[in-house]
Amino acid sequence: MSRSRLDQLYRRLLLSKFFTKGWGKPDNLKRIFAFRKILSNRETCQHLVASDYPIHIDKEYKDGDCRVLEGHFLSPFVHHLPGIMPKEVETANFQMILPVQWRHPIHRPVCIHLAGTGDHFYWRRRLLTARPLLKEAGIASIILENPYYGSRKPKEQLRSSLHNVSDLFVMGGALVLESLALLHWCEREGWGPLGISGVSMGGHMASLAATNWTKPIPLIPCLSWSTASCVFTQGVMSGAIPWHTLQEQFFENNVYQDEIRKLIVSPEQNRRKAYDMGQDFVKNYADRMPEMESLHQQQEAGASAVAHTAILSQGVAPGSLTTADLRSSSKEINSENSNSKVGPSVVESGTPGHPSQAAQNENLKGDVSKVNVSLSLEGYVAHTGIRNSKSSNEPFQSSTGHKTVSSAGTDSRVFSSVATSQSTDHSKSASPHTSGVSAPEVETATVIENSGKAKPKRSSRKDSVKPLTVSYAQAKTNQQAKLSSPSPGRVSGALTLKHALSKSKLILSRQPSSLPTEEEKLKTLQQEALDFMCGVMDECTHLGNFSVPVDPELIIIIAAKQDAYIPRDGVIGLDQLWPGCEVRYIDNGHVGAVLWHQRVFRQAVIDAFAKQEQKYPSGTRSDKGPGQGRPLEYKS
């Protein structure tokens, strides 16, 4: 999104600074955060302001073709968070612009207008919005003074410069409750339909208030968006904030880091975390592809070998085996394993037809269909050290240096792995041909001949070696140990090299490249303070933390395409939070839209009220109220 140069120039000409005294008292922030949980929920917020909340009219007089009411009331915020508001801020003042005679006896529309940044007192909204709306569409207006503005400004405050970050949250919470009080009062007076609008900061405050009204209400937020965090951290307003003061307070008082930060609920930060996790997964997945391909090849090799052994155990001639036979046998084994509850086991090979091995052959035929494929893979690879190949025609290589056997079954010999004893005595008597392989890893193999007879291959050990039954846990542990510490005779050179490279990358990534410079330290501190600002702003102002208005179809949003005050890039949009709302764009910046497009704002108000009247013809107000029969008394 391009930024308006007029917005940037206008901001540079202004001298006002915001949050010159810092974040505000930590205790106040914690109270505000806790109250936000209640305020943001329409079901709980509706009980904070009574429907008969007292409103006092101080003055009523005729001004040209309209009549004016001026009144005040105690802000409901005082009752729920006493002691946070300065005394000057506690009393809410408002002005109402009414027609001398309503155009319709029942249809009496009223819109509340909230002030934008720097909009003190009533005159600006009365001149640019209230009077034209009354003349063009017969819509009456209530102009509410913002807390900390106009007659509600604390004595020590200069212009619009709020002293603390917490003051902005007090302003927002107070305007929500004060708007609800005025809406209840309008219903008691028999006016309606009722709507709410505002420009810039006033538009955002209007959005917060509309989320807590329990009935469909026209909402027209102009030049505002879903959160205030982008305003103070990305927009031109960020240059009006004393970041050095905020950084010092943030790091000097541990309460901000240890307690307040934990209370933050930020839809934006949660979305960024989810996005970063997705990016990290994709990146790591790409980096691990070679390793995953290698493991997949080992799985195919193990399954093929197990299927080959199963077919041979049933008396099939090895020379007649095909790749299709092996795959078919593998599928049968997998299918039977999925339905079998028998635990994993290791099958000992014997010689078919030999009197001393007959019992073993029967066990082999029964158990081979129950072998767990994952165990067969892990045990086979871990205890034979097979070198895998992408081609089914490339032979496997035994780690003990015996004759190679084709994976497609074209050779007449198949190796069945048998783990050897791992005693320390045997490790000392390893044969010379196992050079490069540690003693506990020495293995023997039994060769199955085409004739159906098997000749046991003699081990180089002096004592006879008995087969060792390997459990699933042992096989898995052995495989993991060999993958982490590959032996020269066990793993292929390519796999060993990949493992070493990945391990070296991990070690290098953990070692600091150099000590951080003073400039880097300063940037780190600034970024932490900036992240904290984003978090606290999202916590109290992000509309994703508030209820969705009752009827989003009555919402018309006005946004400036080149807005430098409220950038929308990378922020959840209002149209995403409120499906069904309408967004209208002005081809200008923030300042240009305020100066030259007031007519667009007023037309959006008129259209939103027309939608409400069309969709809810009976209105959302009471047709009878004290205001209908009350005689008008004009005061000069």
Side-chain angles (χ1 to χ4, degrees):
M1 182 182 73
S2 60
R3 306 278 179 96
S4 169
R5 293 185 179 181
L6 178 59
D7 291 352
Q8 300 174 25
L9 177 62
Y10 182 79
R11 182 59 245 177
R12 290 174 187 172
L13 296 176
L14 297 179
L15 301 176
S16 56
K17 296 288 183 181
F18 293 87
F19 316 138
T20 53
K21 292 186 179 180
W23 303 100
K25 295 179 181 179
D27 290 341
N28 287 349
L29 280 174
K30 288 192 284 187
R31 292 175 65 190
I32 292 171
F33 283 13
F35 185 64
R36 198 277 302 167
K37 305 293 191 298
I38 303 173
L39 190 71
S40 60
N41 188 335
R42 184 163 51 242
E43 299 301 322
T44 56
C45 183
Q46 63 178 324
H47 303 294
L48 299 179
V49 181
S51 59
D52 58 348
Y53 194 85
I55 306 292
H56 307 285
I57 303 299
D58 303 321
K59 189 183 297 185
E60 181 177 350
Y61 58 92
K62 184 178 180 180
D63 184 11
D65 56 349
C66 63
R67 62 189 179 98
V68 180
L69 300 179
E70 292 185 2
H72 76 278
F73 58 96
L74 183 66
S75 176
F77 193 85
V78 177
H79 303 302
H80 302 287
L81 289 181
I84 290 184
M85 274 184 166
K87 289 296 181 182
E88 301 90 340
V89 182
E90 291 182 351
T91 301
N93 303 305
F94 69 94
Q95 190 176 88
M96 187 172 186
I97 310 300
L98 291 163
V100 176
Q101 183 67 39
W102 290 99
R103 297 184 180 182
H104 195 279
I106 297 178
H107 185 72
R108 301 177 178 184
V110 177
C111 185
I112 299 175
H113 302 281
L114 303 183
T117 304
D119 188 358
H120 296 259
F121 302 105
Y122 312 120
W123 66 270
R124 189 180 305 176
R125 283 170 285 170
R126 183 175 64 237
L127 177 64
L128 300 177
T129 307
R131 282 184 174 275
L133 272 179
L134 187 61
K135 183 178 181 180
E136 294 170 4
I139 299 176
S141 298
I142 294 179
I143 307 170
L144 176 63
E145 258 192 332
N146 273 16
Y148 301 94
Y149 278 23
S151 60
R152 305 179 69 180
K153 184 180 71 174
K155 294 180 180 179
E156 64 276 10
Q157 179 180 306
L158 182 64
R159 294 187 293 273
S160 308
S161 303
L162 300 180
H163 288 163
N164 303 295
V165 175
S166 60
D167 293 343
L168 182 67
F169 307 148
V170 173
M171 178 190 291
L175 284 174
V176 169
L177 299 183
E178 291 166 14
S179 298
L180 295 182
L182 289 172
L183 291 171
H184 283 305
W185 175 66
C186 289
E187 283 194 335
R188 296 199 305 269
E189 292 295 315
W191 296 319
L194 307 175
I196 188 166
S197 177
V199 178
S200 190
M201 181 181 68
H204 191 80
M205 299 301 180
S207 298
L208 295 175
T211 61
N212 291 297
W213 186 241
T214 57
K215 301 174 183 179
I217 182 172
L219 169 62
I220 308 92
C222 304
L223 307 182
S224 67
W225 208 234
S226 53
T227 178
S229 62
C230 58
V231 176
F232 295 101
T233 60
Q234 301 178 35
V236 295
M237 289 282 286
S238 61
I241 297 176
W243 291 104
H244 182 70
T245 301
L246 296 177
Q247 291 169 20
E248 286 183 348
Q249 288 188 7
F250 179 71
F251 290 105
E252 286 175 359
N253 195 335
N254 293 332
V255 177
Y256 295 111
Q257 304 179 55
D258 300 337
E259 298 182 28
I260 297 178
R261 177 182 276 177
K262 296 179 181 179
L263 302 175
I264 292 175
V265 178
S266 171
E268 295 296 333
Q269 291 183 356
N270 293 338
R271 184 173 66 94
R272 292 188 202 107
K273 287 179 182 178
Y275 177 78
D276 293 341
M277 289 175 63
Q279 291 290 97
D280 185 64
F281 170 78
V282 173
K283 180 179 179 181
N284 292 338
Y285 181 81
D287 293 341
R288 293 183 58 188
M289 277 298 294
E291 180 182 355
M292 295 173 66
E293 290 179 358
S294 177
L295 291 176
H296 180 66
Q297 293 170 4
Q298 292 180 12
Q299 290 176 358
E300 290 180 348
S304 177
V306 172
H308 200 153
T309 305
I311 293 177
L312 289 176
S313 66
Q314 298 176 5
V316 180
S320 63
L321 294 178
T322 63
T323 305
D325 295 331
L326 294 175
R327 291 177 180 174
S328 176
S329 180
S330 298
K331 292 180 180 178
E332 292 177 2
I333 293 174
N334 291 337
S335 176
E336 293 183 14
N337 284 334
S338 62
N339 300 323
S340 176
K341 298 183 180 179
V342 180
S345 61
V346 173
V347 182
E348 300 178 4
S349 61
T351 306
H354 196 279
S356 62
Q357 301 295 332
Q360 295 184 11
N361 286 337
E362 293 297 324
N363 291 335
L364 177 63
K365 294 179 180 179
D367 290 344
V368 72
S369 62
K370 302 176 183 179
V371 174
N372 189 300
V373 174
S374 61
L375 170 65
S376 303
L377 163 65
E378 294 174 353
Y380 196 85
V381 175
H383 291 284
T384 62
I386 290 178
R387 179 177 64 84
N388 189 22
S389 172
K390 294 183 179 180
S391 173
S392 61
N393 295 326
E394 186 175 348
F396 298 120
Q397 179 65 45
S398 172
S399 62
T400 56
H402 296 305
K403 187 175 180 180
T404 60
V405 185
S406 171
S407 63
T410 56
D411 199 284
S412 61
R413 296 173 178 83
V414 173
F415 291 96
S416 176
S417 64
V418 181
T420 60
S421 174
Q422 300 182 5
S423 64
T424 54
D425 294 336
H426 289 170
S427 65
K428 297 179 182 179
S429 60
S431 61
H433 75 274
T434 59
S435 177
V437 182
S438 58
E441 297 173 350
V442 177
E443 301 171 354
T444 59
T446 303
V447 181
I448 303 177
E449 300 289 352
N450 282 337
S451 59
K453 299 180 180 180
K455 297 180 181 180
K457 185 78 175 181
R458 293 189 178 274
S459 172
S460 59
R461 303 178 185 272
K462 294 181 181 180
D463 300 330
S464 60
V465 180
K466 294 182 179 181
L468 176 66
T469 301
V470 183
S471 66
Y472 176 79
Q474 289 174 336
K476 189 170 184 179
T477 304
N478 292 340
Q479 183 190 15
Q480 292 176 349
K482 290 169 186 173
L483 288 176
S484 60
S485 301
S487 302
R490 291 275 173 196
V491 188
S492 65
L495 184 58
T496 305
L497 179 60
K498 289 177 183 177
H499 181 78
L501 287 175
S502 61
K503 191 172 183 180
S504 64
K505 288 180 182 178
L506 179 61
I507 295 173
L508 290 174
S509 64
R510 291 178 178 175
Q511 301 204 3
S513 57
S514 61
L515 295 176
T517 62
E518 292 298 327
E519 183 179 356
E520 291 174 342
K521 290 181 181 179
L522 180 61
K523 288 183 178 179
T524 302
L525 297 178
Q526 292 174 345
Q527 186 61 43
E528 288 198 36
L530 190 69
D531 292 342
F532 186 71
M533 172 65 88
C534 289
V536 296
M537 285 291 173
D538 284 342
E539 164 66 29
C540 292
T541 68
H542 202 295
L543 290 167
N545 285 336
F546 288 75
S547 301
V548 177
V550 174
D551 189 352
E553 293 184 357
L554 301 181
I555 301 173
I556 299 179
I557 302 162
I558 306 297
K561 291 184 178 180
Q562 304 169 26
D563 201 326
Y565 276 83
I566 307 177
R568 301 183 301 277
D569 297 335
V571 180
I572 301 174
L574 283 177
D575 50 347
Q576 295 176 272
L577 295 175
W578 299 336
C581 67
E582 180 184 352
V583 183
R584 299 178 182 179
Y585 291 94
I586 298 175
D587 191 10
N588 216 311
H590 195 92
V591 176
V594 172
L595 293 177
W596 303 307
H597 296 281
Q598 288 289 332
R599 181 69 181 84
V600 177
F601 303 158
R602 295 195 300 268
Q603 187 60 48
V605 174
I606 296 172
D607 293 344
F609 272 84
K611 283 186 177 182
Q612 201 275 350
E613 184 65 21
Q614 182 179 5
K615 192 170 183 179
Y616 305 96
S618 59
T620 57
R621 60 173 179 79
S622 173
D623 290 339
K624 295 181 180 180
Q628 288 192 358
R630 184 167 57 89
L632 301 178
E633 296 180 2
Y634 302 109
K635 298 180 181 180
S636 57

